[in-house]
Amino acid sequence: MGALPPRIGPKLSDTTFRAISDIAHDVAGLHLPASKKALVASRISRRLSRLALSSFEDYLGLIQERGAPERRRMATALTTNVSTFFREQHHFAVLEQVILPPLLARAAQGDRLRIWSAGCANGQEAYSIALSILDISPDTKALDVRVLATDIDPLAIRTAQLGAYHASMMSDVPAAHKERHFDYDASAQTYVASPALRALVLFRELNLHGPWPMPGRFDIIFCRNVVIYFDEEGRNALWSRFQEKLTDGGWLLVGHSERVPESVAPRLKVQNARTIYRLG
């Protein structure tokens, strides 16, 4: 008997691709040029399989039927929730040696400290920030210090809130942090964030392309490897909004391939690393 022919999946027409791209842009500001058609087909095919749908056109019909919740699910399917602890280590070196010490000293005198992890994926970035805080100030119970962590993906937020990570995901976490701030479940080979570590971080679902309900400003904002999904107009709008959301002297840390144009956020001044900005 000969080999079975390869399974041929549903075909994504140009018209349907453009419709999906338009929805993704309207919902989350995603920029999906024609060169991304194969990626879109691959990502949405998984959603089709999960929903037992036979065509992309059927899926568009389902989006119309279910409305906003399915539109958000589609947008999250088209992005990549890749994150690791202490990703881009140079950022955390600057955070621990330059940025946090004076802010935590002020917090010890009664000031508030607010940090935003925008696009937090499964939570590793936010917990890395919290670990850096605890490394400098081990007892934060009496301090007004909080990390807000947001993402458009509700599944990622639920994972982050659990704070449970397989041992294979913990290789970049120093042994002292694992011992002090995580509980190890040997049967599942999983590290679970301690109550003290989780208490520093508030996880919430948030679409960066939509309204921001947070009333206050932030001393530090991390938004790394997120705006790469947006077109130039969307990126510039985000940089401008971040500028307005920082306290005087506040810090913005972006991804290694991202730059903030001076023309759209003139008060954000690049620091010693091209991906670290400060509100001047």
Side-chain angles (χ1 to χ4, degrees):
M1 182 182 293
L4 293 174
R7 181 180 180 274
I8 299 176
K11 179 177 173 57
L12 177 61
S13 69
D14 290 342
T15 300
T16 304
F17 167 71
R18 286 192 294 270
I20 289 174
S21 299
D22 289 345
I23 293 171
H25 187 273
D26 290 343
V27 171
L30 303 184
H31 176 52
L32 297 170
S35 60
K36 300 290 186 181
K37 183 179 175 181
L39 180 145
V40 170
S42 174
R43 297 284 178 84
I44 301 301
S45 288
R46 300 171 195 170
R47 190 74 183 138
L48 263 62
S49 296
R50 204 165 287 128
L51 296 166
L53 297 174
S54 59
S55 73
F56 292 102
E57 288 71 27
D58 287 345
Y59 184 59
L60 280 179
L62 183 74
I63 291 175
Q64 296 297 326
E65 178 185 325
R66 293 189 176 180
E70 187 59 40
R71 287 158 64 92
R72 286 197 299 272
R73 289 190 188 96
M74 189 196 76
T76 59
L78 293 170
T79 57
T80 304
N81 272 327
V82 174
S83 185
T84 60
F85 283 94
F86 297 101
R87 187 181 185 186
E88 300 186 37
Q89 177 58 45
H90 64 284
H91 281 166
F92 288 93
V94 175
L95 181 70
E96 294 172 10
Q97 297 168 19
V98 177
I99 301 175
L100 279 177
L103 292 173
L104 287 170
R106 283 164 38 190
Q109 298 300 315
D111 283 359
R112 65 194 289 278
L113 171 56
R114 293 293 182 270
I115 304 172
W116 182 13
S117 170
C120 66
N122 292 322
Q124 292 97 321
E125 178 179 88
Y127 285 125
S128 297
I129 295 168
L131 288 168
S132 295
I133 291 170
L134 291 170
D135 203 33
I136 298 169
S137 296
D139 185 6
T140 59
K141 291 180 182 177
L143 304 183
D144 190 1
V145 176
R146 294 293 180 273
V147 179
L148 172 67
T150 65
D151 200 275
I152 192 174
D153 186 349
L155 294 178
I157 291 296
R158 285 199 285 274
T159 299
Q161 288 171 330
L162 292 173
Y165 301 95
H166 191 269
S168 61
M169 304 172 72
M170 299 288 290
S171 59
D172 293 319
V173 180
H177 281 328
K178 292 179 190 177
E179 182 177 345
R180 191 176 304 129
H181 301 298
F182 290 86
D183 298 315
Y184 184 58
D185 181 347
S187 62
Q189 296 186 336
T190 298
Y191 286 87
V192 181
S194 69
L197 181 58
R198 291 205 303 273
L200 277 175
V201 187
L202 177 66
F203 289 101
R204 288 291 183 268
E205 184 182 342
L206 180 73
N207 181 355
L208 287 175
H209 193 60
W212 295 354
M214 309 85 77
R217 296 189 179 190
F218 295 89
D219 302 285
I220 307 167
I221 297 175
F222 279 70
C223 186
R224 305 183 304 166
N225 308 302
V226 174
V227 303
I228 54 174
Y229 294 105
F230 301 160
D231 58 18
E232 183 178 9
E233 181 181 2
R235 291 194 299 269
N236 289 343
L238 192 62
W239 299 138
S240 180
R241 293 177 78 185
F242 280 145
Q243 177 179 255
E244 297 305 314
K245 205 62 179 170
L246 282 169
T247 58
D248 289 337
W251 300 79
L252 173 66
L253 293 86
V254 305
H256 67 277
S257 63
E258 299 163 341
R259 299 292 182 270
V260 180
E262 186 176 359
S263 58
V264 299
R267 294 187 61 202
L268 287 174
K269 306 299 183 184
V270 67
Q271 300 300 297
N272 58 335
R274 291 289 299 170
T275 54
I276 299 178
Y277 297 80
R278 191 173 191 186
L279 191 69

